[in-house]
Amino acid sequence: MRLFRILSAFVVTGFAAASAAPESAEAHATAVAPGELSLERAIAQALEKNYELKISRATRANADDTLEVAKSEFDPTFSVSATRSYTNGQSQFTGGTASSSSLDTRASVSQRAATGGTVTVGGALDRTRQRPVLSSFDPYFDSDVSLTVSQPLLKNAGSTVARASIERARIGVSRAVADLTSSVLSTVRTVENAFFNVAFSREQRQVRAFSLEVAERLLEEARTRRQTGVATDIDVLQAEVLVANARRALLSADQQVKDTEDALVALITPHEFGTLPETLTLPPADDSAIDFQSTLSRARAQSPEVTAATLAAQQFRIDERVARRNRLPELDLLGGVGYSARDRSAGSAVDGLWGSDLYNWQVGATLTIPWGQRADRARLRTARNNALSAELRAQVVDQDLAVNVRSAVRAVETAREALRITALATELSQRQFELEKARYDAGVSTFRRVQESREDLDAARINELQAKIDLRNALAELARLDGTALTRYRIKID
């Protein structure tokens, strides 16, 4: 009964609050004694060291930088230029050689507007020297200041087009967060599965070890009974074969323990293949009822796959709005006003701007219409098709989620019932083995029947262990689908 009590103490279901913050790499795992490893700590270590998560974090960071690049389109642009020129040739006034040299400097600031236009403020200072001297100023300085506005009125006009790249980038950040969340949930699910496999393989090894102990005791009893003439050589041989098979099963169980431990170690400590603690701490049990509708609603609200698909459709809708605006003809309005001044010194030329009577202005418009506008119309059709396809994909993802949640709920319910049945089967097999062993000791049963009842007990115990692991895996998969694993393990994704 000792092993039966050990197996009964094996935790059936549930998840406790665990910890891991993949963005900040902070962990708040439940304290465990030395020589123990909790599921919470295993998940925290895996989230900190998992390679796929590191890639997802880099993608998330790139999405932030893409948004910054899009925002920078509305940053002011400063421009400064300087040009030195020299001209030498025949003078049309004197008939002799004439030359001129100049130094032109210009500075401007341009700002893109939310309407799609551009506002530019600029100024220039030019120095000119001529030979022979043709004016009273030698050298003379020209200065000017201007304000220029360029605004599209049809194509490329409006905030929809101007801010399209920013809106795409904002949605891209949210998609990156959703992808990172999906990677986190997948990692948690993988660690849970590996952790449960280790727990199962270790418990299975205990079953095999206990079976070997029973087989060795039966062998000793068979040899003693043979000495007293109660048993035959065939009974002893059967007992020896029973011991050999039990040892072989124990060797296989040892191999499975090592394999599952290596799989878990590879998840939580990459490049290191150490040994796991002797004790694995499983969370407390949780046998609360599951409602399909509330679970599905929660899954739809928190599923990163559904979120990512919906956001992708929103990005394509932005492209469609831009394409609809840009199928219009290109009509650009250009306007500007400026003042200029000339004097014998640079300071006087600049000061003279503010009281100068020399000014200029310009207003113009440019109309460009591609023949037939076939390209713009095709771009609009493509954008519409892409948006429709993305929305259909989002509906498919949502439908698949509903199917998976329904299947997961059924899996939990089936696993719970299977656990109840296997527990009863284990209890029955335990009593049958004890009864058959008592009958054998009383001399009214054969060794073969004892051996068969012991094999039935081993199979029942293994089936019960497998049912417990199946139930845990079913609950873990449901927690991945509805996103509750994040809250249960206190995982924060900024």
Side-chain angles (χ1 to χ4, degrees), residues 461-475:
R461 288 169 173 169
I462 296 300
N463 289 337
E464 184 181 2
L465 286 176
Q466 187 62 58
K468 292 174 180 178
I469 294 302
D470 291 342
L471 178 56
R472 279 192 169 274
N473 283 322
L475 288 169

Side-chain angles (χ1 to χ4, degrees), residues 348-368:
S348 300
V350 173
D351 293 339
L353 279 174
W354 314 118
S356 175
D357 294 332
L358 300 177
Y359 65 90
N360 61 83
W361 59 268
Q362 56 179 336
V363 176
T366 303
L367 177 63
T368 304

Side-chain angles (χ1 to χ4, degrees), residues 226-481:
R226 184 180 60 179
Q227 293 176 357
T228 59
V230 178
T232 64
D233 291 340
I234 294 179
D235 294 332
V236 174
L237 180 59
Q238 288 179 339
E240 290 175 347
V241 172
L242 178 64
V243 171
N245 290 332
R247 286 176 177 170
R248 180 175 59 83
L250 181 59
L251 288 175
S252 298
D254 286 334
Q255 178 183 358
Q256 185 174 354
V257 168
K258 292 182 174 61
D259 291 342
T260 56
E261 287 181 347
D262 285 347
L264 179 58
V265 169
L267 290 173
I268 62 179
T269 56
H271 298 307
E272 300 176 12
F273 280 93
T275 58
L276 291 175
E278 296 181 357
T279 303
L280 299 185
T281 305
L282 292 171
D286 179 12
D287 56 355
S288 58
I290 298 175
D291 179 70
F292 169 72
Q293 290 299 333
S294 60
T295 302
L296 179 58
S297 299
R298 185 168 55 251
R300 282 173 169 167
Q302 300 183 14
S303 170
E305 289 80 11
V306 173
T307 300
T310 303
L311 293 173
Q314 293 178 8
Q315 285 182 316
F316 282 113
R317 284 302 178 190
I318 292 176
D319 295 339
E320 180 189 359
R321 291 194 294 269
V322 172
R324 184 182 298 111
R325 163 63 70 173
N326 287 345
R327 68 175 177 170
L328 299 174
E330 186 175 353
L331 177 59
D332 296 337
L333 177 65
L334 177 64
V337 62
Y339 287 87
S340 61
R342 174 177 290 184
D343 211 322
R344 65 178 67 248
S345 66
S348 300
V350 173
D351 293 339
L353 279 174
W354 314 118
S356 175
D357 294 332
L358 300 177
Y359 65 90
N360 61 83
W361 59 268
Q362 56 179 336
V363 176
T366 303
L367 177 63
T368 304
I369 305 177
W371 189 264
Q373 295 184 289
R374 291 188 299 171
D376 294 333
R377 297 179 189 274
R379 293 188 187 98
L380 177 58
R381 290 194 298 269
T382 300
R384 285 175 176 171
N385 292 333
N386 290 339
L388 179 60
S389 299
E391 290 175 350
L392 292 176
R393 281 192 293 269
Q395 294 178 11
V396 171
V397 172
D398 181 79
Q399 184 179 33
D400 290 344
L401 177 65
V403 173
N404 292 335
V405 170
R406 187 183 296 275
S407 176
V409 171
R410 284 198 296 262
V412 171
E413 295 172 348
T414 303
R416 284 178 174 172
E417 184 64 18
L419 178 59
R420 185 186 68 83
I421 294 173
T422 54
L424 291 176
T426 300
E427 183 179 0
L428 176 61
S429 297
Q430 178 73 26
R431 292 181 180 181
Q432 288 178 338
F433 171 73
E434 293 173 353
L435 176 61
E436 201 64 42
K437 180 63 169 59
R439 288 168 55 85
Y440 176 73
D441 293 339
V444 295
S445 181
T446 64
F447 182 83
R448 183 175 183 83
R449 293 183 63 86
V450 174
Q451 178 182 357
E452 291 175 349
S453 64
R454 186 203 61 81
E455 292 175 350
D456 292 341
L457 177 58
D458 288 348
R461 288 169 173 169
I462 296 300
N463 289 337
E464 184 181 2
L465 286 176
Q466 187 62 58
K468 292 174 180 178
I469 294 302
D470 291 342
L471 178 56
R472 279 192 169 274
N473 283 322
L475 288 169
E477 178 63 17
L478 187 60
R480 183 191 71 84
L481 291 172

Side-chain angles (χ1 to χ4, degrees), residues 59 81 99 139 148 160 200 243 262 459 464 470 491:
T59 303
S81 64
S99 64
T148 304
T160 299
F200 170 77
V243 171
D262 285 347
E464 184 181 2
D470 291 342
I491 299 173

